[in-house]
């Protein structure tokens, strides 16, 4: 007989862990199952390690440019990747251990270590690393938070070469001589700038004609320009078709292309070519839970799957691919299932940042989306060179943009590529969440000298979009 629980959470990602604790606190006998590292992608191989590398990379960059601010740093600036990694390991170790301790100490929560698989809609088997089933549990309420993993394209010769994804690249202790990155997304660009600032030669291979295809072309170009100025090389309109070991240098890789493009040699090859959901090995068919053609689990506004009593939260539901969207999913489910509310993901205003330096942060609609929508709208842009804070810091790259509805005066979307854009964007996020029209923000008194201080001035420049 399976051991019965009121609720089970599969995966300890950014939504799953707090949800397990809340379910336990609500009096439900709760189980949480984790097959890998506690804390999931963000803590172990995503946000936390990459942002600790961004910090090290920025320290190197600032040291190299200190003379521009009248500060002399003697000698050459170099990066000890083993020390950078050790610092990162300490930071993520603290978070991972913190999540595990939190779960193990939570009221009414039992932690299972192993791989969960549905055997029917409300029963799960749990197996160890050797595949042998160690436990069987059933539950009235099941919450899937199994996340995603890196996609590696099926290139000819891949089985014969050494290659990397976001996970194992973060295990390196020696700097790559030449890091070749396949992909033009935010993960690709963050790694490109990090390793360039660490001192590696970096080449980014982009299938299309520009990076960051989800963003407006002017923002994508603004980010590309900064990285190119720092020495990141970009090749557009290229797609690797085959790889093979270098004939003379052990571990190096030769990359060939379909197009009439000369082959490229890399000491390290990183794939940042998208993410796929951890749903193929979850036994979803046995539970009758539908997936879409990408393997994502479709959910309604309340994050319910096609099977009553089963929810999907985090990246795996295809409604967001960020730590904050996974955490927001937890809050929506907790509000509805535990507190009897009726919150919906459908009204969520999407926001995120790309943590290149300076960051690109965005909320709501892009300019392209507003134009496609066809509504009467106003728009304003402002270069970061007008922002006192940016001039004082000597970092004036980038610009801000905002779009508002001409009639309702509601903010439709905004983006900032510039220093502290990842913080300043919250002035827009909060105004939009409050449902206030833009004059509320226009007449707010902001602190001097900050980036947010220029947001009211940006709004003063709104003009009809043509
Ligand atoms: C390089 C990189 C950088 C990123 N940077 C940022 C950033 O700066 N900001 C941001 O907001 N987002 C960032 N993200 C995205 C972010 O990491 C994810 O959106 C976030 O972790 C949310 O994931 P989740 O809660 O859906 O699940 P995850 O965190 O992926 O956790 C899923 C957990 O489920 C476990 N699991 C899977 N299948 C099973 C099973 N069958 N049985 C038991 N356990 C299972 C896994 O081991 C894992 O621990 C980044 C991602 C990457 C890869």
């Amino acid at each position: 007989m399976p051991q019965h629980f009121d609720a089970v959470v599969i995966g300890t990602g950014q939504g799953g862990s707090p949800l397990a604790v809340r379910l336990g606190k609500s009096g439900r006998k709760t189980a949480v199952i984790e097959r890998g590292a506690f804390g999931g992608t963000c803590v172990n191989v995503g946000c936390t390690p990459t942002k600790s590398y961004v910090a090290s990379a920025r320290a190197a960059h600032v040291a190299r440019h200190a003379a521009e601010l009248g500060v002399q740093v003697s000698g050459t600036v170099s990066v000890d990747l083993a020390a950078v990694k050790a610092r990162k390991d300490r930071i993520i170790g603290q978070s991972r251990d913190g999540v595990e301790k939190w779960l193990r100490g939570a009221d009414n929560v039992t932690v299972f270590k192993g791989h969960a698989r549905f055997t029917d809609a409300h029963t799960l088997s749990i197996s160890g690393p050797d595949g042998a089933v160690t436990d069987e549990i059933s539950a009235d309420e099941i919450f899937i938070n199994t996340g995603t993993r890196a996609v590696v394209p099926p290139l000819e010769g891949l089985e014969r070469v050494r290659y990397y994804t976001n996970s194992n690249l973060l295990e390196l202790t020696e700097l790559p001589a030449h890091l070749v990155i396949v992909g033009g997304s935010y993960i690709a660009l963050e790694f490109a700038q990090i390793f360039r600032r660490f001192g590696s030669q970096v080449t980014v291979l982009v299938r299309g004609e520009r990076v960051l295809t989800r963003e407006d072309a002017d923002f994508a170009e603004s980010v590309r320009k900064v990285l190119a100025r720092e020495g990141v090389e970009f090749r557009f309109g290229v797609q690797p078709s085959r790889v093979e070991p270098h004939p003379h240098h052990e571990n190096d890789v030769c990359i060939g292309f379909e197009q009439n493009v000369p082959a490229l040699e890399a000491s390290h090859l990183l794939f940042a070519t998208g993410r796929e959901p951890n749903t193929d090995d979850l036994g979803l068919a046995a539970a009758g839970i539908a997936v879409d053609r990408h393997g994502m689990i479709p959910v309604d506004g309340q994050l319910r799957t096609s099977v009553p009593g089963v929810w999907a939260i985090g990246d795996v539901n295809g409604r967001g691919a960020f730590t904050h969207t996974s955490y927001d999913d937890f809050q929506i489910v907790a509000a509805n299932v535990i507190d009897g509310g009726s919150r919906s993901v459908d009204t969520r205003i999407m926001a995120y940042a790309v943590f290149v330096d300076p960051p690109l942060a965005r909320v709501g609609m892009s300019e392209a989306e507003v134009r496609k929508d066809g509504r009467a709208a106003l728009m304003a842009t402002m270069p970061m060179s007008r922002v006192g804070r940016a001039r004082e810091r000597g970092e004036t790259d980038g610009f801000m943009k905002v779009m508002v509805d001409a009639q309702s005066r509601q903010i439709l979307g905004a983006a900032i590529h510039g220093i502290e854009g990842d913080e300043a964007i919250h002035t827009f996020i909060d105004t939009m969440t409050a449902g206030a029209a833009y004059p509320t923000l226009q007449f707010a008194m902001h602190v001097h000298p900050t980036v947010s201080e220029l947001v009211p001035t940006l709004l003063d420049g709104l003009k009809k979009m043509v």
Side-chain angles (χ1 to χ4, degrees), residues 145-214:
N145 178 224
T146 50
T148 57
R149 58 178 182 261
V151 172
V152 176
L155 288 185
E156 186 190 321
L158 204 57
E159 67 294 345
R160 295 195 293 130
V161 301
R162 187 181 68 169
Y163 64 88
Y164 294 86
T165 66
N166 61 292
S167 302
N168 54 353
L169 195 77
L170 291 162
E171 293 306 308
L172 292 180
T173 51
E174 280 179 33
L175 271 187
H178 183 196
L179 175 64
V180 173
I181 302 176
V182 185
S185 67
Y186 81 91
I187 292 177
L189 299 190
E190 287 179 13
F191 276 121
Q193 189 180 42
I194 287 168
F195 277 89
R196 181 65 200 136
R197 287 182 170 189
F198 283 176
S200 298
Q201 182 190 348
V202 176
T203 305
V204 178
L205 306 178
V206 186
R207 190 172 44 179
E209 294 309 316
R210 66 179 178 92
V211 295
L212 300 174
T213 46
R214 251 202 272 172

Side-chain angles (χ1 to χ4, degrees), residues 10-16 33-48 50-51 114-117 145-149 166 170 186-187 190-191 275 278-279 281-282 313-316 320-327 352-353 355:
I10 311 172
T12 63
Q14 296 304 298
I33 311 165
E34 174 54 62
R35 72 175 178 192
F38 285 92
T41 306
C42 176
V43 165
N44 296 288
V45 292
C47 339
T48 310
T50 54
K51 269 78 252 182
H115 179 97
R117 196 175 273 108
N145 178 224
T146 50
T148 57
R149 58 178 182 261
N166 61 292
L170 291 162
Y186 81 91
I187 292 177
E190 287 179 13
F191 276 121
R275 313 271 306 163
N278 295 320
T279 52
D281 51 2
L282 204 48
I313 64 170
D315 291 8
V316 82
F322 299 99
T323 283
H324 46 277
T325 50
S326 181
Y327 190 82
Y352 54 85
F355 290 94

